[in-house]
Amino acid sequence: MNGLHITGHLKPDTRVRVTPHPDPARPFVSIGIEGAASEISLLASPGSADALRTLAAAAMQAAVALDALTADAAEVTRS
């Protein structure tokens, strides 16, 4: 990844789209993450599929952690 730092908040209505760009000279895939006021695009070129798989695994891990935090917060509220 190149040197850029972006912070954003995912909301329930955040849209994600994957667009392949099959240019014979420079093929790549873009992943767009779109909110109401901003869009982040990740560009992945050939050879970076493992990085995308790692990102997907981290996103799944984050979702599981968020589910657990939400369940814990609900339990505290009921107590």
Side-chain angles (χ1 to χ4, degrees):
M1 186 157 172
N2 293 334
L4 175 65
H5 179 99
I6 297 173
T7 301
H9 293 271
L10 294 176
K11 305 267 184 165
D13 63 345
T14 299
R15 296 171 306 281
V16 178
R17 76 182 142 63
V18 175
T19 307
H21 300 272
D23 183 317
R26 295 187 127 189
F28 68 97
V29 172
S30 66
I31 302 168
I33 305 164
E34 303 174 38
S38 62
E39 178 179 348
I40 298 170
S41 292
L42 301 175
L43 306 179
S45 57
S48 54
D50 284 343
L52 286 177
R53 288 184 189 96
T54 300
L55 177 62
M60 290 299 296
Q61 183 179 358
V64 168
L66 187 58
D67 288 341
L69 290 171
T70 303
D72 290 346
E75 185 62 33
V76 168
T77 303
R78 284 193 293 250
S79 297

